[in-house]
Amino acid sequence: MLTETDWDALDHAYGTAEDTPAQLVALLDTDQRVRSQALDHLHHVVHHQNTLYGATAPAALYVAAILPDPRTTLPVEKRPRDFPGPMRAALLGWLDSVANAADDQAEATMRHFGFPPEDYPPLVRTREIRPLLFSAVSACFDDHDPHVREAALAACIPLLDDSRLHRHRKAAAPLLRATLATSALWQYHERAMEALTAWGEDTAGLQVRRQAFEACDAPSNTSSSAEWGLAADYAADLPF
């Protein structure tokens, strides 16, 4: 992917993507600061503000390919509202964001505003590779790290919008119920509820515990478990 892609011919948020291959390699660097900067490149350059660019799809394929690498279990620097977990969880979170930008709702929104999605190559290409991304993401469903498992299940939700992948919803639904719907993170809990409802699955006994606006309106408190909306028993298990 790195050598066979003409990165100079692709764009990202700040012009040509000639600098992206080095940043992709740096995702597996031994230096945590270097890894974290490379992750920032994904979020703020290759997929800036939820926008898909020419470099986004090939970068996503590279990220999917390195998920099994043991070096993705290394930590990365965290900001106050970043989700917990190692680099692998962070990469899955990025793939989740990329997939969300190419899901059915994104396509419908473009059509609503008069922009045919088929005329936007970055969206077309990202939608084309969804089965490949799902194959890599679903391999993390049984990861030993609970943060990785949750991030993988969350990332599968927008990927399963693809009609070629609908058959996997039945198998994914029990995992969403058992893992995401019981997550200590209210964001995952709500996404599980929304997905199960959209898929026509039974959500009996599952209730949204917290509204998103409560977290948005609440003052930042990075020194306690309140930042994550965690119950006390979950907070005790966090590695930080």
Side-chain angles (χ1 to χ4, degrees):
M1 180 57 63
L2 289 179
T3 59
E4 295 180 4
T5 299
D6 185 3
W7 296 97
D8 290 0
L10 301 175
D11 68 327
H12 55 42
Y14 298 101
T16 178
E18 60 184 328
D19 55 342
T20 296
Q23 293 297 329
L24 293 175
V25 172
L27 291 169
L28 300 176
D29 198 272
T30 56
D31 188 315
Q32 178 172 309
R33 185 168 180 270
V34 173
R35 292 195 303 274
S36 301
Q37 290 176 338
L39 185 62
D40 283 344
H41 182 83
L42 288 182
H43 280 291
H44 303 301
V45 179
V46 178
H47 181 45
H48 180 60
Q49 295 183 345
N50 298 321
T51 302
L52 300 173
Y53 299 93
T56 309
L61 287 173
Y62 177 85
V63 167
I66 67 171
L67 285 176
D69 193 300
R71 288 171 290 183
T72 62
T73 63
L74 295 173
V76 287
E77 295 171 1
K78 297 290 182 180
R79 295 182 177 86
R81 296 190 185 278
D82 286 347
F83 278 40
M87 172 63 86
R88 185 174 294 161
L91 293 176
L92 285 163
W94 183 77
L95 289 175
D96 184 0
S97 181
V98 170
N100 267 299
D103 68 4
D104 288 354
Q105 183 58 54
E107 182 184 33
T109 299
M110 289 186 70
R111 292 193 188 281
H112 176 75
F113 287 103
F115 300 101
E118 60 270 14
D119 292 344
Y120 188 52
L123 179 71
V124 173
R125 180 57 178 148
T126 302
R127 289 173 69 83
E128 286 176 348
I129 65 172
R130 287 183 294 180
L132 293 174
L133 299 183
F134 177 75
S135 179
V137 166
S138 60
C140 298
F141 286 175
D142 59 354
D143 193 275
H144 73 280
D145 188 313
H147 299 311
V148 173
R149 294 197 298 271
E150 291 185 340
L153 285 166
C156 90
I157 293 174
L159 293 171
L160 291 178
D161 266 3
D162 193 317
S163 60
R164 295 167 293 179
L165 300 172
H166 283 181
R167 67 185 186 279
H168 295 291
R169 288 180 173 180
K170 279 293 180 186
L175 298 176
L176 262 63
R177 287 184 63 91
T179 302
L180 283 198
T182 60
S183 173
L185 299 179
W186 63 265
Q187 297 96 325
Y188 284 153
H189 180 86
E190 289 188 353
R191 289 194 66 189
M193 291 283 292
E194 292 171 358
L196 291 169
T197 300
W199 298 349
E201 296 289 335
D202 181 20
T203 58
L206 300 179
Q207 295 181 351
V208 175
R209 297 191 302 267
R210 180 175 178 180
Q211 295 297 324
F213 290 113
E214 293 181 16
C216 294
D217 295 337
S220 177
N221 182 1
T222 59
S223 63
S224 77
S225 61
E227 180 69 23
W228 295 100
L230 302 178
D233 52 339
Y234 283 104
D237 296 330
L238 289 178
F240 51 79

